[in-house]
Amino acid sequence: MSEPVKRINPTPESYSPKDKPEILNMAEDGAAKFRPGQMNNINNVPRLYHDDPSHNYMFCECMWSLMRALNEDARLDFQFFAAVTGDLFSQIWLEPIWNYNDSLSSVFKDTLIPIQAAFGACGYDFDYIPQKEVQANKQGHIQRIMKSIDHGVPVLTFGIIGPPICSIITGYADEGAQLIGWAQFTDEPKESNPLDLEPSPGLFCVRNGLDRSVALVFPKEKNSQPNISDVYYKIISKIPNWIAVPPEIQKQYDAILAPKNVCLGKTAFDKWADTYGSCMVMIGTNMHHMQEFLNRTQSFCPDAYDLFQKLRTAYSELNAGLQDLISFQGGYFFDSKKFMNSGFRAGIAERIRHLGVLYQAVGEVIK
């Protein structure tokens, strides 16, 4: 399939702040005109969402960038973290509708479940700072960011520019008054479309950047060296839990997100069918990466050959259902005016519900 292009879900509230932050687009070599003052920037942090526009889950992309900056195993890439966090196997839907509906690792970050899974899989400790703590002590956290940068360790933040997804802070200027780093989007609408933002053209430099931060993640020391084969075996064993979430995990998700409600698995497809939204990005991204993931995982789990053959069949059927939906609607994305036709709406809903049935069948393969 063609590579999915990330779209921003429409919401009643704009992502752009009332007072836009100062943004300086810097050249690839990091050169820029900063205001006078102390500054530092880590130069070996790879740019996000640049080499492959199918990397739509920004926490996973930031983890890859972080691992490269720390000179870690090259196998700890976007696909690895998309699998470890469950993003690669998840479909979610948030209510009330028009909430930002990005990925499991982003929406459920405050549960710490996806964050712990990602850092644990590569053997690192971390500190997670939720929004209330960030906003209560912004200057203290800026000082900690500066200290981490000075030691050559980038810091992750959810929300600094563009929508409230993960970005990576690589440096600072003006003694921390400006934060520098990589992000997927700017705050600017693409082609004057408020529902689609411009991709980031380079490093950002944002003044008062923590004003918009809804979480910070500080990487800490490495405490273990996980066996990558064991990690992949664990990923496969957890797929049913990402498809049909256990009640105790569902309750934890709901408690963290209240007053919002989260729907996962087949229910997410049914909600999507009832009220069309941006869920196409999630299943499109997952199907784009799935066969490569299965090939890679089988190389680490050679004794599970029969299981992988069944998974390939189940995911091929799911992808065929997705291609049928794309063909019916006339492309990956389409003109919203088509919704004026009741037959078109019914056809889309029928195909999305069928995707939910095929999605649920994947979990049955592993049980």
Side-chain angles (χ1 to χ4, degrees), residues 123-354:
Y124 280 83
D125 283 331
F126 68 95
D127 280 341
Y128 181 82
I129 314 299
Q131 183 174 13
K132 286 184 179 180
E133 294 182 27
V134 172
Q135 297 305 314
N137 186 19
K138 285 184 286 189
Q139 191 54 45
H141 293 306
I142 286 174
Q143 292 298 316
R144 185 174 179 182
I145 289 170
M146 293 169 63
K147 183 176 180 180
S148 185
I149 298 301
D150 289 344
H151 283 85
V153 181
V155 176
L156 309 187
T157 178
F158 288 83
I160 190 169
I161 185 173
I165 55 178
C166 199
S167 302
I168 188 164
I169 301 171
T170 66
Y172 62 88
D174 283 0
E175 298 181 339
Q178 298 182 83
L179 297 178
I180 305 164
W182 298 114
Q184 183 182 14
F185 296 108
T186 69
D187 291 315
E188 298 298 324
K190 188 175 183 180
E191 298 176 353
S192 300
N193 180 359
L195 307 184
D196 195 6
L197 300 182
E198 286 285 357
S200 177
L203 284 166
F204 64 76
C205 183
V206 179
R207 180 166 290 276
N208 300 323
L210 292 192
D211 287 357
R212 296 175 60 188
S213 177
V214 298
L216 289 169
V217 184
F218 289 94
K220 297 172 66 176
E221 65 278 356
K222 188 165 187 174
N223 58 23
S224 66
Q225 184 62 57
N227 182 297
I228 197 164
S229 293
D230 291 342
V231 173
Y232 275 103
Y233 272 110
K234 186 177 292 186
I235 290 170
I236 291 297
S237 71
K238 286 186 174 182
I239 290 177
N241 285 353
W242 285 310
I243 290 176
V245 180
E248 63 272 16
I249 299 297
Q250 181 73 58
K251 289 180 181 178
Q252 185 176 355
Y253 287 160
D254 290 341
I256 290 292
L257 287 172
K260 300 176 184 178
N261 295 315
V262 59
C263 302
L264 297 105
K266 183 178 181 299
T267 304
F269 284 92
D270 292 339
K271 294 290 186 180
W272 176 17
D274 291 337
T275 311
Y276 193 83
S278 68
C279 294
M280 182 70 86
V281 171
M282 281 180 272
I283 189 171
T285 298
N286 294 349
M287 292 303 95
H288 179 79
H289 288 278
M290 188 56 65
Q291 291 304 319
E292 181 184 343
F293 164 77
L294 292 174
N295 292 339
R296 178 189 299 187
T297 307
Q298 187 173 347
S299 71
F300 290 105
C301 311
D303 57 338
Y305 176 83
D306 290 343
L307 173 60
F308 283 102
Q309 291 302 100
K310 293 178 181 178
L311 283 172
R312 284 190 178 89
T313 298
Y315 272 117
S316 292
E317 291 175 354
L318 180 58
N319 188 49
L322 174 63
Q323 297 310 313
D324 179 51
L325 172 62
I326 293 172
S327 176
F328 176 81
Q329 65 186 27
Y332 197 82
F333 296 105
F334 57 89
D335 188 343
S336 60
K337 292 179 182 178
K338 289 186 177 182
F339 272 124
M340 300 297 291
N341 184 299
S342 61
F344 180 78
R345 295 196 304 271
I348 280 190
E350 177 185 356
R351 286 164 174 79
I352 291 173
R353 290 193 178 92
H354 181 58

